[in-house]
Amino acid sequence: MTALSKYDRLEATGLWRASSEAQRREVVVSIGDATLVISDLNDRAITHWSLAAVERGQASTGKAVFHPDGDPDETLELGPDEAEMIGAIDTLRHAVARARPHPGRLRWLGVGLSLSAVVALGVLWLPGALVDHAMRVVPPVKQAEIGGALLARIARVSGTPCRTPEATAALTALAGRTGAARVMILPGGVREALSLPGGTVLLNRALVEDFEEPDVAAGYVLVEEVRSAAHPPLRGLLEHAGTRAVATLLTTGALPPQTLDTYTEAQLSTLVPVLSPDMILPAFAAAEVRSTPYARARDISGEETLELIEADPMAGKQGDPIMPDRDWLQLQAICES
C-alpha cells in the first residue's frame, strides 16, 4: 500500500484492553506492514491488527476508539492529543475500503447488463423470431382468410373484383399456367399487380383490356409469383404489423382490423421494387410464357427492358397458348358489365 510509507515512523500512545473484563493498559501504537502494531512501553509487540479489519467504535468528543472487525470487546483508545495517528488510521482504513472489491456494485452492474441484454433481445431478436414462428405455424387456410380480409379492404378503393361466368375459364387458365392459387381482375385500386397472402394475385383491368395477347397478364402474374417466393406477402404483412399484432395473431388467430387497414393503405400507395431479369426469366421459361410482351408492356421502347427481350426464353419457339382466343376475349370484357 503506497500510503503506508507516509506513516512508517508515526507512533502514538493509547489505552488498550484485550477484552471487556480486562484492565486497560498504556501502549505504544505504530503502523507496520499493512498492520496496526500495539506494543508495551518496553517496545514488545502485544498484538497486530490488520488495517483491512480495523473498525472505529463509539467514543467521547476528541477521542477515538478502534477495535478489530468482529471483536468490539478488544479496543484501542487514542486521546485528542494523538490526532495525527487517528487521522492516519482513518486514512488507511478508507484506502483499504476503496481497494476492496464491492460485490454489491458488481451485482448491480451484472443486473444492469442482464436487463440491457433482455431489452436488446426484445428489440432486436424477438420481432423477427415471432414473425418466423408465425410463418411456420399459420396454416394455408388462415393465410387465405387473411388475404380475403385484405381484398375486402382493397375493394373499398378499387371496387368489387370483376366477375363473369364466361371469363371463369380464362382466369383458371391464367392461374394454372403461372402457378398462382387464384387470379382476380380489379376495376382499379392496384397500379398493376399485387399478391395477397394465400396465393391470390390481383391484376388491374388495364393488363387485360389494353393488350392483344394474354402473355402480358401472365407475365405480371409470374413476376408476382417470383416476388412472393422471395418475400411472401404474409411476411410483409407481419413485418408491417409489429410485435404486438403478431402476438395477437398467434394467440387469437386474427390480426387487429387496424393493422389490416394500415397495411392495405401502404400497399396501394407504395411502388414495388422492380425485379432483376435474372430473377424472373427462369419463371417465364418454366411456364413457357414469352417475356417480350411483358417487357414491352413495361416499356414500349424496350430500352429499360432490353434484357428481357433479348433473353426471351420462348424466342423462336412455339409453345402452347395460354388460353384459347375466345377465352381471352371473354377475359378482356370481364369488367365491362
Side-chain angles (χ1 to χ4, degrees):
M1 184 185 301
T2 57
L4 287 173
S5 59
K6 180 179 177 181
Y7 306 113
D8 59 358
R9 297 184 181 277
L10 184 63
E11 290 186 347
T13 57
L15 296 176
W16 169 80
R17 68 177 183 182
S19 66
S20 57
E21 292 81 15
Q23 272 194 333
R24 292 186 297 175
R25 54 187 291 190
E26 189 174 6
V27 293
V28 176
V29 183
S30 60
I31 295 174
D33 185 12
T35 61
L36 195 64
V37 182
I38 300 175
S39 306
D40 61 19
L41 298 180
N42 295 320
D43 202 25
R44 291 192 298 267
I46 300 173
T47 185
H48 294 74
W49 290 359
S50 170
L51 286 170
V54 173
E55 296 291 335
R56 186 162 181 171
Q58 298 291 330
S60 57
T61 304
K63 294 183 179 181
V65 175
F66 300 95
H67 63 82
D69 184 21
D71 187 9
D73 290 337
E74 183 182 0
T75 60
L76 172 67
E77 182 181 318
L78 298 175
D81 55 334
E82 301 294 354
E84 188 177 2
M85 177 60 78
I86 294 171
I89 295 173
D90 284 339
T91 298
L92 293 174
R93 286 175 57 244
H94 293 152
V96 169
R98 286 194 299 270
R100 288 175 181 168
H102 298 277
R105 294 179 187 176
L106 291 176
R107 182 165 56 251
W108 282 111
L109 177 61
V111 170
L113 291 175
S114 298
L115 288 175
S116 298
V118 170
V119 171
L121 190 66
V123 172
L124 301 176
W125 174 82
L126 182 59
L130 275 179
V131 170
D132 290 341
H133 180 64
M135 291 299 297
R136 290 192 296 269
V137 302
V138 175
V141 172
K142 173 58 66 174
Q143 293 192 38
E145 180 183 320
I146 294 172
L150 290 174
L151 176 59
R153 286 162 170 80
I154 293 172
R156 298 172 189 170
V157 179
S158 67
T160 304
C162 303
R163 294 186 180 91
T164 63
E166 296 80 7
T168 301
L171 291 173
T172 300
L174 191 58
R177 187 64 168 264
T178 57
R182 184 168 59 160
V183 177
M184 303 183 74
I185 310 298
L186 295 182
V190 296
R191 287 186 173 88
E192 292 171 340
L194 178 66
S195 296
L196 298 178
T200 296
V201 178
L202 307 178
L203 295 180
N204 188 291
R205 64 186 294 180
L207 297 181
V208 296
E209 292 180 349
D210 296 350
F211 300 96
E212 297 180 357
E213 48 198 352
D215 299 66
V216 173
Y220 275 94
V221 176
L222 283 172
V223 170
E224 285 303 305
E225 288 296 289
V226 173
R227 196 188 312 278
S228 296
H231 194 76
L234 180 62
R235 177 175 289 276
L237 170 58
L238 297 180
E239 290 173 347
H240 171 88
T243 302
R244 180 177 296 181
V246 176
T248 300
L249 173 64
L250 292 172
T251 54
T252 69
L255 285 166
Q258 185 179 4
T259 297
L260 298 175
D261 292 339
T262 57
Y263 181 72
T264 299
E265 293 173 4
Q267 288 296 101
L268 295 181
S269 60
T270 303
L271 289 173
V272 295
V274 175
L275 301 183
S276 69
D278 290 341
M279 290 184 66
I280 63 178
L281 281 172
F284 280 86
E288 295 186 353
V289 173
R290 294 179 296 153
S291 60
T292 298
Y294 166 76
R296 294 291 185 185
R298 276 180 45 190
D299 176 18
I300 193 170
S301 69
E303 293 179 2
E304 295 182 3
T305 55
L306 183 61
E307 189 172 348
L308 292 174
I309 297 171
E310 293 181 342
D312 190 335
M314 298 303 293
K317 299 179 182 178
Q318 188 65 39
D320 294 333
I322 296 173
M323 64 185 71
D325 290 342
R326 65 179 182 276
D327 289 345
W328 173 240
L329 293 173
Q330 294 293 341
L331 187 59
Q332 288 184 300
I334 191 172
C335 292
E336 290 182 0
S337 59

